[in-house]
């Protein structure tokens, strides 16, 4: 008899897991409490997979031998209660897919920068001619790619939610870029719970593996001392520290791992200190598997960045419009404000995940002339910044926000969409928010 595999959630990861489950001989049933998109319904029907939408049939779920749940479903969800009582194994799509590939896994996490670092690392690997795929919290799901086109290397961008569901997942190289408050509503508002989730990326690594981290991130350093890590540790920072594998000195980025190479900071395509960290992490990672210095240098100088992350949309009437919709937490927005030039009209807001805005106050006082709130509940932003910014206005659509920002901005100002919040109150996701912002700018 086939093992019963229940998939909870019919997004990209859930449908990918369902397809892989069928390929591997499981009896698959997919359940989603909401509506399933027509695209995914068509895929499921074509594959001959059973599914339900608009509900979770608890009796069916409790009949599972194995459950793969969407990262968006918290462990406390009602649909999981019965399964936990029966000690049914509940894992993530990342864990599930890793069981059916012999590829070398490179796992990258962090509160900020993980998409850029993962994409940059993928670019380096591709330029080096390696057989590599990019998956996880970006693009096509890991499970779908294992089903369709298994490769020699996977670069996996991983969120804490995806790491929460791992058991035996074993990356050859793991990276923690930084750990700052994010998603604390899922972790009982306890920073230690969130940090421990991030550090689970190392738990199955051995002495033959590598762990790369930032030696200037205080939370990472705190939990490094509390975590047993068997992997070889490689670290980086802006300032040279004993044993470091990368740092900046005399306007040069230095990678000191398996032979040293340098390049001018001015030659890096990605600007700002936060991107220097990303470049260092990717450079160390690439040298770990002996990619040539010339290939790394070429990628670091040519890489174009990712959509919705400090993306220049247009200049209208002397005003620059920047799309940083991917900034869904306070620390990401801190980086965006740090990089912003000229007086800033800042578009912010959405679903607040327990944000502490105090870290932004110095930059807001220095750079922000007006705030345009884009969300249904903007009280947190008003409370945090009304003492420091004269003009704070509320809007409920991207078009309204852009037009209000245009009204408030003057020549040589910057209009910056960097929400510091999730997008689900008014938009499907951060991509939808960014795309609507870009569309509204282009209509000015």
């Amino acid at each position: 008899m086939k093992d019963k595999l229940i998939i909870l959630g019919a997004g990209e990861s859930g449908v990918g897991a369902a397809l892989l489950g069928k390929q591997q001989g499981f009896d698959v049933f997919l359940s989603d409490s909401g509506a399933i998109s027509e695209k995914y319904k068509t895929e499921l029907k074509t594959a001959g997979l059973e599914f339900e939408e608009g509900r979770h049939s608890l009796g069916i779920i409790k009949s599972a031998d194995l459950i793969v749940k969407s990262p968006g479903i918290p462990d406390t969800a009602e649909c999981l209660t019965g399964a936990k009582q029966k000690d049914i194994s509940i894992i993530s799509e990342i864990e599930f897919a890793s069981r059916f590939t012999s590829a070398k896994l490179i796992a990258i996490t962090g509160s900020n920068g993980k998409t850029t670092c993962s994409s940059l690392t993928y670019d380096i690997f591709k330029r080096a001619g390696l057989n590599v795929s990019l998956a996880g919290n970006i693009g096509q799901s890991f499970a779908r790619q294992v089903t369709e086109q298994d490769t020699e290397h996977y670069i996996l961008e991983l969120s804490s939610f995806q790491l929460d569901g791992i058991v035996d997942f074993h990356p050859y190289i793991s990276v923690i870029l930084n750990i700052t408050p994010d998603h604390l509503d899922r972790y009982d508002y306890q920073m230690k719970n969130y940090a421990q989730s991030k550090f689970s990326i190392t738990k199955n690594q051995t002495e033959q593996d590598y762990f790369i981290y930032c030696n200037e991130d205080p939370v990472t350093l705190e939990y490094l001392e509390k975590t047993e890590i068997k992997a070889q540790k490689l670290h980086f920072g802006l300032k040279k520290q004993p044993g470091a594998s990368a740092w900046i000195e005399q306007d040069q980025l230095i990678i000191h791992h398996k032979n040293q190479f340098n390049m001018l900071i001015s030659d890096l395509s990605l600007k700002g200190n936060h991107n220097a960290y990303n470049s260092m992490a990717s450079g160390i990672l690439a040298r770990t598997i002996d990619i040539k210095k010339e290939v790394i240098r070429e990628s670091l100088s040519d890489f174009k960045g990712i959509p919705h992350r400090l993306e220049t949309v247009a200049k209208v009437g002397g005003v620059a419009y920047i799309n940083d919709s991917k900034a869904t937490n306070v620390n990401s927005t801190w980086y965006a404000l740090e990089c912003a030039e000229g007086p800033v009209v800042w578009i912010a807001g959405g679903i607040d995940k327990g944000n502490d805005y105090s870290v932004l106050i110095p930059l807001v006082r220095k750079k922000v002339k007006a705030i345009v709130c884009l969300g249904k509940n903007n009280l947190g932003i008003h409370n945090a910044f009304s003492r420091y910014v004269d003009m704070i206005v509320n809007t409920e659509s991207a078009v309204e926000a852009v037009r209000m920002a245009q009204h408030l901005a003057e020549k040589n100002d910057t209009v910056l969409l960097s929400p510091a919040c999730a997008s689900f109150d008014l938009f499907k996701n951060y991509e939808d928010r960014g795309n609507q912002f870009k569309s509204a700018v282009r209509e000015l």
Side-chain angles (χ1 to χ4, degrees), residues 9-21:
E12 174 59 26
S13 68
V15 173
L19 295 172
L20 178 59

Side-chain angles (χ1 to χ4, degrees), residues 102-298:
S102 58
K104 285 193 170 182
L105 306 181
I106 293 155
I108 299 171
T109 194
S111 302
N112 300 291
K114 58 185 177 290
T115 302
T116 298
C117 185
S118 300
S119 301
L120 177 57
T121 303
Y122 175 69
D123 184 77
I124 295 171
F125 277 52
K126 290 290 284 184
R127 289 174 193 256
L130 297 174
N131 186 3
V132 60
S133 291
L134 179 64
N137 204 34
I138 184 171
Q140 287 193 327
S141 67
F142 184 24
R144 180 189 293 276
Q145 294 193 48
V146 170
T147 307
E148 296 176 355
Q149 51 175 35
D150 205 11
T151 57
E152 292 178 19
H153 302 268
Y154 281 100
I155 312 291
L156 300 172
E157 180 204 333
L158 299 180
S159 69
S160 58
F161 297 168
Q162 290 168 312
L163 290 168
D164 287 338
I166 65 171
V167 180
D168 300 311
F169 174 73
H170 178 185
Y172 167 55
I173 303 172
S174 67
V175 180
I176 296 180
L177 294 167
N178 48 61
I179 304 174
T180 60
D182 194 13
H183 304 298
L184 294 187
D185 50 335
R186 276 277 289 263
Y187 294 97
D188 297 326
Y189 296 93
Q190 296 291 316
M191 190 66 186
K192 72 172 186 178
N193 296 341
Y194 176 58
Q196 286 168 353
S197 173
K198 289 294 190 188
F199 266 92
S200 66
I201 201 170
T202 68
K203 74 176 184 179
N204 295 312
Q205 289 190 287
T206 70
E207 293 83 356
Q208 284 72 51
D209 302 321
Y210 295 89
F211 169 53
I212 300 170
Y213 67 94
C214 177
N215 59 32
E216 295 173 341
D217 184 68
V219 179
T220 301
L221 295 179
E222 178 187 349
Y223 284 89
L224 188 63
E225 292 182 1
K226 302 175 181 178
T227 308
E228 182 186 356
I229 296 173
K230 294 178 181 176
Q232 299 171 59
K233 301 180 186 71
L234 305 172
H235 55 89
F236 61 89
L238 298 179
K239 295 180 179 179
K240 184 178 181 180
Q241 294 192 22
S245 295
W247 64 90
I248 291 174
E249 189 173 1
Q250 297 180 341
D251 296 324
Q252 296 215 54
L253 182 146
I254 298 168
I255 306 288
H256 186 72
H257 180 52
K258 293 192 173 182
N259 298 325
Q260 180 169 311
F261 85 92
N262 308 355
M263 65 184 291
L264 288 169
I265 289 292
S266 57
D267 289 341
L268 295 174
S269 66
L270 299 176
K271 305 303 181 184
N273 287 342
H274 60 295
N275 279 321
Y277 286 132
N278 292 328
S279 296
M280 285 189 273
S282 294
I284 296 168
L285 204 161
R287 288 299 300 138
T288 299
I289 64 162
D290 296 315
I291 292 177
K292 292 180 179 178
K293 293 180 280 189
E294 293 74 19
V295 174
I296 301 170
R297 185 179 283 109
E298 178 185 289

Side-chain angles (χ1 to χ4, degrees), residues 271 274-275 306 308-312 322-325 335-337 339 416:
K271 305 303 181 184
H274 60 295
N275 279 321
I306 58 172
H308 311 294
R309 190 73 184 105
L310 292 171
E311 177 186 16
T312 299
I322 307 294
N323 169 29
D324 194 44
S325 182
Y335 288 129
L337 287 169
C339 292
L416 172 68

Side-chain angles (χ1 to χ4, degrees), residues 243-394:
S245 295
W247 64 90
I248 291 174
E249 189 173 1
Q250 297 180 341
D251 296 324
Q252 296 215 54
L253 182 146
I254 298 168
I255 306 288
H256 186 72
H257 180 52
K258 293 192 173 182
N259 298 325
Q260 180 169 311
F261 85 92
N262 308 355
M263 65 184 291
L264 288 169
I265 289 292
S266 57
D267 289 341
L268 295 174
S269 66
L270 299 176
K271 305 303 181 184
N273 287 342
H274 60 295
N275 279 321
Y277 286 132
N278 292 328
S279 296
M280 285 189 273
S282 294
I284 296 168
L285 204 161
R287 288 299 300 138
T288 299
I289 64 162
D290 296 315
I291 292 177
K292 292 180 179 178
K293 293 180 280 189
E294 293 74 19
V295 174
I296 301 170
R297 185 179 283 109
E298 178 185 289
S299 180
L300 295 186
S301 60
D302 288 352
F303 183 66
K304 301 303 182 197
I306 58 172
H308 311 294
R309 190 73 184 105
L310 292 171
E311 177 186 16
T312 299
V313 179
K315 202 161 192 175
V316 182
V319 176
Y321 289 81
I322 307 294
N323 169 29
D324 194 44
S325 182
K326 198 172 193 308
T328 58
N329 61 51
V330 167
N331 209 48
S332 285
T333 294
W334 187 93
Y335 288 129
L337 287 169
E338 183 199 32
C339 292
E341 296 179 357
V344 175
V345 177
W346 174 31
I347 302 176
I351 296 178
D352 185 318
K353 299 174 286 186
N355 287 352
D356 176 4
Y357 292 108
S358 61
V359 69
L360 298 178
I361 289 172
L363 281 168
V364 168
R365 293 180 71 172
K366 180 180 177 182
K367 294 191 172 187
V368 174
K369 64 185 285 185
I371 298 174
V372 177
C373 297
L374 178 56
K376 289 187 176 179
N377 182 359
N378 306 311
L379 188 60
I381 292 172
H382 280 269
N383 289 342
F385 302 112
S386 58
R387 291 168 54 197
Y388 311 106
V389 179
D390 292 335
M391 179 68 70
I392 303 180
V393 296
N394 297 323

